[in-house]
Each structure stands twice: as C-alpha cells, then as structure tokens.
Amino acid sequence: MEMTKARFTQTDLAKYPFLKETAMLVKQLDLKIEELTNPDIAAILNRAEERVREAIMSLSVGEKREADVEIPSFPVALLLVINTKNSFIKKRYALAEAKQAFVDMQTESSEKILLIARDFDWNIELTRFSTMPLEFAISFTDYLRNTTHLRDKKWKLVNRLLVNGKVYLNKQDVARLLQEEVQRRIEKRLEVTELPVLPEKIAEITKRLLELAKEKIGQEEMEGLPKVVTQSAFPPCILALYEAASKGRHLSHVGRFTLTSFLVNIGMPPEKVAELFKSFSDYNERLTRYQIEHIAGERGSRTRYTPPRCVTLQTHGVCVNPDVLCRRVSHPLSYYKRKQKQLSSNLPKSN
Amino acid sequence: MASRDFVYKKFSEFYSSPSTVIPKISMIGQREIGFLLFKEHVMLRHKSFESTSSLKRFLGETVPSDVYHSCAYYENPEAEMNKKIWLGADLVFDIDADHIPTPCNKIHDEWTCNKCGFGGKGVTPDACPICGGQKFETKTWACELCLKTAKEETAKLLNILEQDFGFSLQELHVFFSGHRGYHVQIEKETIKTLDAMARKEIVDYVSGLGLAILEDETKDNTRRQRHKISFSLHDFGWHKRLKLGLQNFVMNATKDDLNNAGVKVNYKVFSENREILLKRCIEENRWSSVRGIGITTWKKLAKHVKDLESAKIDTVVTTDIHRLIRMNGTLHGKTGLLKVGFPANRLENFDPLKEAVAFKEGTAKISVSEAPEFRLGDDTLGPYKNQTVELPTAAAVLLICKGRAEVVQ
Ligand code: SF4
Ligand SMILES: [Zn+2]
Ligand SMILES: [Zn+2]
C-alpha cells in the first residue's frame, strides 16, 4: 500500500472507520456491490449487519474483527442503514458508532487524538510545554460547534478556560466533543437517498433490521419515549392558539409562550414548532428557532419550560371555551393526557 | 411640519453632497439593506446594492431618516425572509445606554404609555404600571454621563474579546452608533457561520451568565443530588477576571462599596486586613482566613465583582443572526449625528459629540421647549426653556430630532 504519509495504522482505521483515510482505503479495495453476497467476503457482510443490529439493540457496535473485515464492514453497514430508509435506525446507528469512538478515544495517546481531531479540520494543539494546566487547546469556534446542544452546565463556554481564542480541555472532554463530530459526519453520510440496485440478500437483511427496529421502538413506546402528537386531544385554549398561529394571526406573549411550551412538552420537534410560526408576516413577531429551542430547553437555557396553569391562562385571557373535561383539570397538559387516554380507549381494540 | 421639512432638507443636502462618502461595507451585495422613511416612519426592507456609491445615489434620491444593513450575508438579499438563504453573519455587539444603569439615572428621560397616557421620568419600564401596556412614547437624551458609561462598557467588552476570545484589535471594528451607544462588529471568516446558539454562548460569556462557581449549589438532575461547588479560583478566563476584580475591590472598597455589594462585614476588620484578604484568601484560596469574613461574604463579593467586570450588552442583537444594524457613515434619525467607525485603540480618546457631527456649517433659528445644558463639538449650549435661539445647524437638528424644538421661519 502506498500510504507513506499516513500516520494512522491499520488498527486505528479499523477502530475509527469514519476517518477520511478509511474511505480512501475502501475505494482502493474496489468492493463491488454485486460481490457483497460472494461467500468469500461473507464475513464483511455479516459484520456489517452485526454493527447495525447491535446499534439498534444496545447502542453499541459489537466486537471488533481483523482490520480487513472491520474496515470495509463500516461502509457496508452504512449502505444497509441507508437502505432501511428509517430515521430511527439512522440516528441510532450514528450515535452508536460515535459512542464507541468516544470509549476508544479515551485510551488513545494525545498525538493520536490530535490526528483524529485534525481529520475533522479542528484547529487544535497540545499545550505540553506551556504553563496551562490542561493538555489540549482548541479554537473556541470548534468548541462551540460541538457543545451548544450539550445540556450539562460544565459545557457552557463561560465555565471554560478561554484564553486568547483557545479553550483548554483535557483528553476526555476532547474525546466527548469528537463524539459529536463523528455522529454528525455519519449522519451526513446517511443522508443519501439514491441507492444502486442491491442484491436480493441485502433486501433480506434490510427487512430483518427493520423488524428489529420495530420491536425496539415498540418497546420504547411502551416505556413512554417517543410520543405522537394528537391534535384532537388539544384543550380548547391550545387549539385556539394553534389555529391562530397557523393562520399567521397575532399572538400575545403569554399566548406564544403557552403554545410553544405546550407543543414542545408533548413531544413536537422544535423544527416543527418553528414551522408553525413561519407564517407570521411580521418579522419581529416571528418566533425564531432559537427562542423555541430556548423554551424547549434543548440548548440555551438548559431547563425545560412548562406551559402555565389554567388559572394563569384564565387571567391572561388565553383560556377560551373551556369544555367539560376542563372542569376536571387544572393544567392544559393534564387535559391533553386525559383526553389522549379517552381517545385511545374509544378506539376499537386491535387484536 | 416646517421642522420636519427642515431636517429632511438637511439630510437631503448631506446625502447629495459630493463630499459625503459612505465608507466601504464588505460584501455589500450579499447584505439586505433597509431604510426608515421620514414619511410616516415607513420601513423599506429587502433592498440590495452593488456598491456604496450606488447606495449613495439612492440615499440622495430617497432621503431616509435611518439606514440599516443586515449583519447577515444572503444568497438572495432581496428575497423575502425565508427565501433569502442565509450564508453567514458578522458577530455584532450593541452597547446602548438604554440598557445600562447610569449615574445620571436617566433623569433626562421621559416615557408616556401609548395606551393610557401615564408617564414618568427615568428608565422606561417593561410594562406600564397602570394599564400593563408595553408600547411607549419616549423622550430621551444622551448626556455625557450616559455616553461615558456606554464607553466604559465598550472598553470592558473589547478587553474580553481581545484577551479571552483572541481577536486582534484590527479585527474589532468599533463604531459610535450616532445616539447613545457603541457597536462592535467582527467579520472574521471563522465566526461567520456560528449559529444563534453559539452566539448565545458568546453573549453569556461576555455577560458572565451561568458561571458555575458563583452558584451556591448545583442540582445533579440525573441523581437528584445537590452538591456544593468548591469555591476556588484559578488564573484563566473568568476566574482570572473575578480574581483581579476581587483584588481591586478589596484594595479600594469604601464602607459604601461594601454596602452596595450587599455584604455585612465590619468595615474596620475589612480595611485592617486587606493584606491577608489579598494574599491568603484571594491568592491562596483560603477564604476563611479573616474572622468575620467567610465564604458566604466572598461569594457575594464575587457576584458583585462579576457585575462590575461583565460587559452590559444588548443580548438579542448578538444572537439574532438576521439582524439589521445601522450603517456606518449614515445619519441617525433621532439625533442627526453620524454613525462613525474608529480604531479600537482610540476608544478612550474618542469624542462622540465631536466626531459624529455631520452638519458643520451655518446656523438655524429654533424655538426650544426644553433642553438641558449640552455640548456639541466645541460649543456648550443651553439650558433652554421656552425660548427662541439661533444655534449651529447640528445643534438645531439635534433638538428638533429630539422633539425639543421647532424651527422658526
Ligand atoms: S380550562 Fe385550562 S385547559 Fe381548558 S381551555 Fe381553559 S386553560 Fe385551557
Ligand atoms: Zn398605560
Ligand atoms: Zn444620562
């Protein structure tokens, strides 16, 4: 192999298959899709399926193999994930690979960490010979790009050693930020929608993976994780606000806060909520994505806001046309939960 | 009406004059340009210009009261908001006396509620105490104290941006806003694509918001535990700033300063032990070295020092990545003064009331309802109350724009 400049070893590339260099290496292998089912390289396909399966089941990527299997199994795994066209699997897989990388990076030498970080075009250096108490220095922009959505206060820039444009970090923190980069890079590679025609065997695997994901999501739904937004369970106040907003009509500040925090609380993704406010013609009144995320507590505020109680909404004129169920609740969110239960128990029981 | 025409004519002369130059604005073709028109205060938005000279021609024809450009760069600056395609934005900070408590306490400012007519002096409230209305008519003044305070806040901001964020003085473009404050603008490539969240983190840093060391305890949400944060200062970033601030406070604090900081300590004990406070407490983090001045006191002092050391910026300006800001070299509709840029290292000696004067020739006769004593350029003028005077054009325009005078024909 003619990789004289490479400082990553084969073992490194097997450990961190998302590196740019691995992509080049795989290209050189010249693996053809049609050949994937060839028994000689069955080990690669098996390992690829295992990566995805483990990701779905336990957010890990399974036991590592020899480099010649391990390295090509990663792009094949990507192919499998893309082919499922399932956003849960995509998210889950990217996160699993990123988490594994985080674990592995913590025991790497500092020089290796530096090399990996530079693969993501970070402006990073070692501070070994200076007086700084921490080993790594990265530019504050690289730092911000990877921390603004981490919730713990310790990641706030204000609580960091920021000197002359550099944030000083220890190895574990750098590895944590790199985890974010890895996840983003993999998510990006999974964005592809056009795929070549794949062999029958791949279709079978895809089907298996989808089954597995369904089992997994089903289970998490029972644990109450991903929620579906049921518009028909909105209390009258929220419904009125919701309709006003979608028609681009003016909302009071209390109204806006109530609607946004309600929607975010029942699990509507912030992008969807932002869309609702897009129709506001007045530029100043349009809720920016940022404000919504602030209420969602995903980023800036690091606390999740809840909508006001009914009494508060009554005094601010947000409570309109309360119905029978309203009399039995004191909070729009509990209205929603009760109504949702009612609605689902009214449905004819399937199987 | 005659007064409005007078100001319009002066603005028109200014923008039409061949000697007026609108300083170059980087990537102007990619920015949205907006104008406030004299007529009914209509806002003209989503405009775009190839160069400042074509813009200047437009200014001469349209004569707006205020001119703005986006700090953002767009693929299509003239398209409506969600079709513009955002490419990036400068990092902008706005320091305005409106947002800073000043020694003059803004006694020169008045506000009147649009809804019920209730009014008062001082800083405009968020909501009317009588009817809760949120829109106000305001009469403000930019006194020397207001301007000085804004300048001090700007100096603190520049210091943080230089020392902590590592921007060079050349990268920090500083402007007087033409009214009561300063703008700092950074156009560096690396910051252009920072999103609103990243900018919020910068805002929080500059404002000292969320400093964990100043919290009494943190909640560990996952384990539902509370644990005390050890109060220990190192020599970098905000810690260094707090340390230096505490040293400075300890060395200079009067009895009043201690009261203002909200700590109850015996002043005699405090002032006799300054050496120990400096060395053992602040330097060696042995905070309980002086009897009667314990960790609670130190934390309170540190919070007070944080307020002194942080820069009071208008936070929404920095986080809004679509923001329009006043254009350099154009007139401010509330004063007739220019927004002017100057090198960061000149801040201390910069005299806004001299260098922002646009109308340097002639005089005008005006009837002044009320104006405090004020300075403009080298002239000290006023106070006036219900009198007709002939003033230099710049001063006349200022008083008319401020709603304190009418032109006399
Ligand atoms: S009673 Fe509560 S839930 Fe019902 S409409 Fe009023 S505010 Fe909404
Ligand atoms: Zn009022
Ligand atoms: Zn003042």
Side-chain angles (χ1 to χ4, degrees):
Chain A
M1 204 156 299
E2 265 207 16
M3 290 247 168
T4 44
K5 268 212 266 172
R7 281 166 297 169
F8 285 121
T9 63
Q10 284 276 328
T11 328
D12 293 335
L13 297 180
K15 237 195 273 181
Y16 309 112
F18 46 79
L19 293 170
K20 288 174 187 158
E21 213 167 285
T22 340
M24 273 149 53
L25 204 65
V26 172
K27 222 174 235 161
Q28 285 172 348
L29 281 177
D30 199 23
L31 207 63
K32 295 259 173 13
I33 290 172
E34 311 84 66
E35 290 169 8
L36 275 181
T37 47
N38 182 331
D40 293 347
I41 52 170
I44 296 176
L45 190 57
N46 284 342
R47 171 66 180 126
E49 182 180 352
E50 184 192 70
R51 289 190 104 97
V52 188
R53 212 175 46 229
E54 288 295 318
I56 295 172
M57 293 309 290
S58 56
L59 265 184
S60 63
V61 291
E63 200 109 332
K64 290 189 179 64
R65 309 289 154 77
E66 291 300 312
D68 59 339
V69 171
E70 192 70 7
I71 295 174
S73 77
F74 173 73
V76 175
L78 292 180
L79 197 75
L80 294 178
V81 173
I82 295 169
N83 200 37
T84 65
K85 299 189 178 65
N86 179 293
S87 58
F88 168 78
I89 300 180
K90 287 184 182 174
K91 273 229 168 75
R92 193 92 178 160
Y93 180 65
L95 182 60
E97 288 283 359
K99 282 197 159 187
Q100 184 59 50
F102 172 59
V103 172
D104 291 339
M105 281 186 286
Q106 289 181 68
T107 53
E108 291 292 2
S109 71
S110 304
E111 284 77 13
K112 189 112 324 143
I113 295 286
L114 219 58
L115 222 52
I116 298 173
R118 289 191 176 141
D119 196 66
F120 290 97
D121 301 320
W122 278 21
N123 182 345
I124 181 172
E125 58 206 32
L126 288 173
T127 60
R128 197 167 290 160
F129 302 110
S130 83
T131 53
M132 296 303 294
L134 296 169
E135 202 184 352
F136 295 90
I138 75 170
S139 75
F140 79 89
T141 47
D142 286 331
Y143 179 83
L144 289 178
R145 272 182 238 283
N146 292 293
T147 50
T148 45
H149 55 288
L150 299 179
R151 306 255 320 243
D152 197 304
K153 274 207 176 104
K154 75 169 190 182
W155 296 110
K156 273 191 82 62
L157 186 61
V158 74
N159 290 318
R160 288 288 160 176
L161 271 67
L162 173 64
V163 183
N164 208 11
K166 303 263 181 215
V167 180
Y168 289 81
L169 300 169
N170 62 24
K171 190 187 286 174
Q172 188 174 358
D173 286 348
V174 171
R176 182 63 188 81
L177 300 198
L178 282 171
Q179 178 191 327
E180 297 297 308
E181 290 279 10
V182 174
Q183 191 180 344
R184 268 209 309 275
R185 181 178 282 181
I186 296 178
E187 277 173 358
K188 207 159 200 167
R189 288 183 67 174
L190 294 174
E191 272 172 15
V192 190
T193 46
E194 297 285 305
L195 277 184
V197 187
L198 297 170
E200 184 63 24
K201 182 134 185 241
I202 304 276
E204 276 166 33
I205 297 177
T206 308
K207 219 165 136 197
R208 281 208 293 275
L209 291 171
L210 276 167
E211 289 292 317
L212 198 64
K214 226 171 267 162
E215 269 172 45
K216 186 71 190 175
I217 300 179
Q219 189 186 326
E220 297 214 331
E221 231 168 15
M222 282 190 326
E223 287 161 11
L225 276 170
K227 293 168 213 141
V228 226
V229 174
T230 330
Q231 201 179 322
S232 50
F234 284 5
C237 51
I238 299 296
L239 204 62
L241 292 171
Y242 188 82
E243 279 171 1
S246 24
K247 285 183 191 134
R249 270 200 267 131
H250 174 87
L251 292 187
S252 68
H253 282 266
V254 177
R256 268 184 254 173
F257 178 85
T258 308
L259 181 58
T260 324
S261 53
F262 180 89
L263 294 176
V264 167
N265 264 279
I266 63 170
M268 194 186 261
E271 312 88 68
K272 278 265 149 45
V273 184
E275 239 163 62
L276 183 63
F277 288 92
K278 247 192 199 138
S279 47
F280 275 174
S281 50
D282 181 351
Y283 176 64
N284 289 323
E285 293 215 332
R286 237 184 51 225
L287 260 196
T288 60
R289 169 99 189 260
Y290 162 64
Q291 283 168 295
I292 292 163
E293 272 164 352
H294 189 78
I295 287 177
E298 279 210 349
R299 298 175 164 186
S301 70
R302 283 151 229 263
T303 44
R304 190 182 268 266
Y305 292 94
T306 31
R309 292 173 301 150
C310 292
V311 259
T312 316
L313 294 176
Q314 278 149 15
T315 48
H316 286 85
V318 175
C319 170
V320 289
N321 307 322
D323 60 17
V324 232
L325 182 54
C326 279
R327 268 186 253 152
R328 290 160 53 200
V329 300
S330 56
H331 198 284
L333 277 177
S334 38
Y335 179 108
Y336 180 77
K337 274 185 211 129
R338 281 187 177 217
K339 188 69 177 268
Q340 236 187 353
K341 261 200 205 125
Q342 276 184 11
L343 289 172
S344 60
S345 62
N346 285 343
L347 289 176
K349 290 250 176 343
S350 56
N351 70 322
Chain B
M1 213 56 237
S3 299
R4 179 90 81 78
D5 290 344
F6 172 75
V7 173
Y8 180 90
K9 199 171 136 247
K10 288 294 151 198
F11 274 45
S12 169
E13 281 167 18
F14 175 80
Y15 286 126
S16 307
S17 160
S19 61
T20 300
V21 181
I22 307 289
K24 193 173 171 303
I25 290 149
S26 66
M27 293 176 74
I28 187 170
Q30 232 92 67
R31 298 181 192 259
E32 177 194 351
I33 313 289
F35 309 92
L36 197 62
L37 301 181
F38 274 101
K39 221 182 12 194
E40 285 146 2
H41 283 288
V42 176
M43 186 80 185
L44 207 61
R45 288 197 55 175
H46 314 300
K47 295 280 170 203
S48 162
F49 293 87
E50 286 291 305
S51 63
T52 42
S53 52
S54 63
L55 169 71
K56 201 203 152 198
R57 221 170 303 128
F58 182 88
L59 294 178
E61 291 156 10
T62 318
V63 193
S65 64
D66 301 84
V67 188
Y68 306 91
H69 68 75
S70 62
C71 41
Y73 309 93
Y74 301 104
E75 184 92 45
N76 315 303
E78 291 188 298
E80 58 182 275
M81 218 54 214
N82 43 13
K83 296 200 178 116
K84 279 185 164 27
I85 309 181
W86 187 86
L87 301 173
D90 303 333
L91 182 61
V92 179
F93 299 89
D94 177 27
I95 286 170
D96 195 305
D98 291 352
H99 298 270
I100 317 167
T102 47
C104 64
N105 219 354
K106 309 269 184 354
I107 42 160
H108 42 65
D109 290 4
E110 289 168 29
W111 50 273
T112 318
C113 173
N114 276 353
K115 223 161 143 190
C116 72
F118 184 77
K121 281 197 169 233
V123 178
T124 311
D126 288 330
C128 168
I130 302 296
C131 74
Q134 288 176 359
K135 293 228 159 96
F136 301 92
E137 198 66 52
T138 54
K139 251 188 178 181
T140 62
W141 193 257
C143 80
E144 303 241 17
L145 264 175
C146 281
L147 290 172
K148 189 167 157 264
T149 317
K151 192 190 258 187
E152 282 164 6
E153 294 302 324
T154 310
K156 284 193 272 178
L157 172 67
L158 291 177
N159 179 279
I160 296 175
L161 291 176
E162 203 193 345
Q163 305 227 335
D164 296 17
F165 286 89
F167 294 113
S168 70
L169 282 180
Q170 290 75 27
E171 286 165 341
L172 299 166
H173 302 291
V174 189
F175 304 89
F176 170 62
S177 74
H179 189 208
R180 296 217 279 192
Y182 292 86
H183 298 161
V184 176
Q185 191 172 348
I186 301 161
E187 302 185 352
K188 208 175 172 178
E189 214 47 54
T190 48
I191 51 84
K192 279 186 181 170
T193 51
L194 291 178
D195 64 9
M197 298 311 308
R199 288 165 204 250
K200 176 73 166 80
E201 284 296 302
I202 296 174
V203 164
D204 287 354
Y205 191 96
V206 162
S207 328
L209 217 78
L211 266 169
I213 187 137
L214 297 182
E215 284 169 14
D216 302 316
E217 50 189 16
T218 50
K219 258 191 280 173
D220 187 333
N221 281 331
T222 46
R223 269 171 267 156
R224 297 192 170 277
Q225 272 175 0
R226 285 161 176 272
H227 49 85
K228 287 227 178 305
I229 291 182
S230 69
F231 190 66
S232 161
L233 295 175
H234 54 66
D235 283 312
F236 309 96
W238 257 102
H239 280 223
K240 180 181 104 191
R241 211 161 250 111
L242 290 177
K243 211 168 182 174
L244 294 175
L246 282 172
Q247 286 171 356
N248 183 50
F249 186 89
V250 163
M251 291 316 287
N252 297 299
T254 62
K255 211 171 173 176
D256 282 347
D257 289 334
L258 281 174
N259 282 335
N260 285 339
V263 294
K264 287 197 184 69
V265 295
N266 184 316
Y267 186 66
K268 198 160 164 274
V269 175
F270 182 87
S271 61
E272 280 171 2
N273 285 291
R274 290 190 209 255
E275 170 63 22
I276 300 175
L277 293 173
L278 218 56
K279 187 169 174 292
R280 289 224 202 110
C281 302
I282 302 175
E283 204 43 60
E284 296 167 6
N285 283 312
R286 286 150 67 196
W287 301 101
S288 304
S289 301
V290 174
R291 190 181 285 262
I293 303 175
I295 188 86
T296 329
T297 304
W298 280 111
K299 277 205 170 186
K300 264 198 186 139
L301 287 181
K303 279 180 198 163
H304 180 67
V305 161
K306 190 242 0 183
D307 290 338
L308 297 176
E309 299 290 318
S310 62
K312 315 287 174 296
I313 58 172
D314 184 352
T315 58
V316 291
V317 173
T318 307
T319 52
D320 183 351
I321 54 169
H322 300 285
R323 192 82 177 185
L324 291 182
I325 50 165
R326 186 172 302 282
M327 187 179 292
N328 187 20
T330 65
L331 297 164
H332 196 303
K334 278 187 190 156
T335 58
L337 294 173
L338 285 167
K339 172 168 170 175
V340 278
F342 55 90
N345 59 12
R346 269 197 56 214
L347 179 69
E348 207 186 328
N349 297 317
F350 176 81
D351 180 358
L353 293 176
K354 195 165 186 171
E355 303 186 42
V357 172
F359 308 113
K360 294 190 174 122
E361 274 155 35
T363 58
K365 218 174 183 188
I366 54 171
S367 120
V368 190
S369 55
E370 191 182 358
E373 182 182 294
F374 67 101
R375 181 177 68 84
L376 204 56
D378 294 323
D379 308 317
T380 300
L381 306 159
Y384 305 117
K385 191 157 180 110
N386 298 322
Q387 64 195 101
T388 300
V389 283
E390 183 162 347
L391 296 185
T393 309
V397 170
L398 174 70
L399 292 183
I400 295 172
C401 287
K402 285 259 155 227
R404 313 256 174 167
E406 297 288 337
V407 79
V408 177
Q409 271 132 335

